[in-house]
Amino acid sequence: MARIAYVNGSFVSIDDAKVSILDRGFLFADGIYEVTAVLDGKLIDTPRHMARLERSAREIGMRLAETPERIAAIEKDLIERNGLTEGVVYLQATRGAEDRDFLPSPDLAPTLVMFTQAKALIDSIAARSGIAVATVPDIRWGRRDIKSVMLLAQVLAKQEAQRRGAADAWLVTTDGMVTEGASSTAWIVTQDGTLVTRDKSHVTLPGCTGDALADLVGELGLTIDFRPFSVDEALAAKEAFNSAAGSLILPVVSIDGRPIGNGTPGPVTMRLRDLYIEHARR
C-alpha cells in the first residue's frame, strides 16, 4: 500500500506531497507540530494534543488552517487510508508561504500537512531492555513550552548522545538540573517511591503522554512531586524513564554510562507503562 499524506486540503501520495520553498516553516522554522500515538488503529490522547496545538498556535499568534475537530477527523481519515494499526501521526502547521520577509502578511493562508509512520509501540525492544541516555547542555531558546519546529538543538543533542553510545539525550541547564529529554518528558522514581518530573513553565514542553500518565498514577497509590531534579539526584534514583507519544513510557537504565538502580527496567516504570497502555486502549 502506497503511503498517503495530507497537504493543504488534499490527500496525496507521500512521494507527491510538497510545500513551497517559500513556506515560512522552511525559511524561518515559523511553525508548530504535534505527534499523536496510534494503537489498534485509534488515536491516543487526541484532546490533549489538540489543546496543545491550539495553545502553541496562540502563543506565536498563528492561525490554524482547520479547527481542532476537523484536524482530528483528517488524522482519523489518514490512519484509515494508510491502514495504520500502530505508530504515530505527524502534523505540522506553519504560518504559510510567501516571498521571504521576517514580517508575515496578516492575511497569509497557513500551511497544514500530516503523515503517518508505522512504529512498534507495544512490542518494543527498547521498552523491554531500557535505554541509555547521555546528558547534554540545554542550548534551546527560552520558550520551550511552544511545540516549535525549531528542533536543531534537539537534533544536535541526539547526535551527541549517539556518539557517546546512548539512545537518547537528557537536556541539562548550567546548574546541573534536568529540563527534559530531547524529545520526551524526563522522570525519576526516588528511593521512597515518589515520582518526580518538572512542573509546567516556559522551560519545558508540557507532555501530553506525561499529563495522561499523571492522571493515572493514583491508581497505583503513587504520588508525583512536580519540581526540578538534578543529574546527581537522577543517578541516585531507584528508577528513571521517559514519556512521549512516540515511545509511550520508556525505561531509562543508565545515564552517562552509570546504571540507574540495578541497570534494568524497574517494576514501577513497567507497571506505569502497562497502566498507560491500558488507558490508551480503553
Side-chain angles (χ1 to χ4, degrees):
M1 176 185 293
R3 287 176 68 191
I4 302 298
Y6 175 90
V7 181
N8 292 331
S10 300
F11 291 97
V12 297
S13 164
I14 200 160
D15 293 331
D16 297 322
K18 297 176 176 63
V19 295
S20 169
I21 64 168
L22 297 178
D23 193 276
R24 293 181 62 84
F26 175 65
L27 296 176
F28 297 108
D30 188 2
I32 56 178
Y33 75 104
E34 280 292 331
V35 179
T36 305
V38 175
L39 288 179
D40 305 326
K42 298 187 301 183
L43 289 163
I44 308 305
D45 293 326
T46 297
R48 296 180 189 275
H49 286 283
M50 291 301 100
R52 186 170 65 179
L53 179 69
E54 279 194 296
R55 181 186 182 279
S56 291
R58 187 169 59 249
E59 289 297 307
I60 65 171
M62 189 187 83
R63 180 168 60 91
L64 293 172
E66 300 284 356
T67 65
E69 294 77 18
R70 176 63 182 147
I71 290 172
I74 295 168
E75 289 185 328
K76 291 176 183 178
D77 195 349
L78 200 57
I79 290 168
E80 293 179 5
R81 288 171 184 263
N82 285 282
L84 183 69
T85 57
E86 187 170 315
V88 299
V89 176
Y90 178 87
L91 174 160
Q92 183 162 308
T94 79
R95 209 177 299 269
E98 63 179 347
D99 210 11
R100 188 179 186 277
D101 193 314
F102 280 89
L103 290 174
S105 298
D107 58 349
L108 188 60
T111 295
L112 179 63
V113 300
M114 304 180 212
F115 58 84
T116 64
Q117 288 181 296
K119 184 178 183 181
L121 301 179
I122 302 299
D123 187 18
S124 162
I125 295 174
R128 291 196 301 269
S129 61
I131 64 167
V133 302
T135 59
V136 178
D138 195 340
I139 60 173
R140 298 172 298 163
W141 73 318
R143 290 302 307 276
R144 302 160 193 164
D145 56 307
I146 298 169
K147 200 166 177 67
S148 164
V149 297
M150 185 171 57
L151 296 171
L152 179 58
Q154 289 92 318
V155 169
L156 296 177
K158 284 178 176 281
Q159 288 179 330
E160 173 62 14
Q162 183 182 59
R163 187 188 69 78
R164 290 159 54 187
D168 205 353
W170 274 11
L171 306 176
V172 180
T173 52
T174 55
D175 59 358
M177 306 303 283
V178 176
T179 48
E180 55 194 337
S183 58
S184 61
T185 301
W187 300 69
I188 61 172
V189 182
T190 65
Q191 292 296 329
D192 67 2
T194 301
L195 302 179
V196 181
T197 192
R198 290 197 75 129
D199 49 341
K200 288 182 172 61
S201 71
H202 290 172
V203 172
T204 61
L205 179 74
C208 294
T209 303
D211 282 351
L213 182 65
D215 289 344
L216 297 170
V217 297
E219 296 182 27
L220 300 184
L222 300 173
T223 59
I224 304 176
D225 192 358
F226 292 99
R227 62 169 175 81
F229 62 86
S230 67
V231 175
D232 287 342
E233 185 177 7
L235 289 168
K238 183 184 293 186
E239 302 177 32
F241 63 92
N242 289 344
S243 62
S247 57
L248 310 183
I249 311 302
L250 195 60
V252 171
V253 296
S254 73
I255 300 173
D256 292 336
R258 297 171 59 182
I260 306 301
N262 62 8
T264 62
V268 174
T269 299
M270 299 311 288
R271 183 65 189 99
L272 289 170
R273 177 176 169 82
D274 290 343
L275 186 65
Y276 180 79
I277 292 171
E278 290 169 11
H279 147 79
R281 283 180 156 165
R282 287 173 189 164

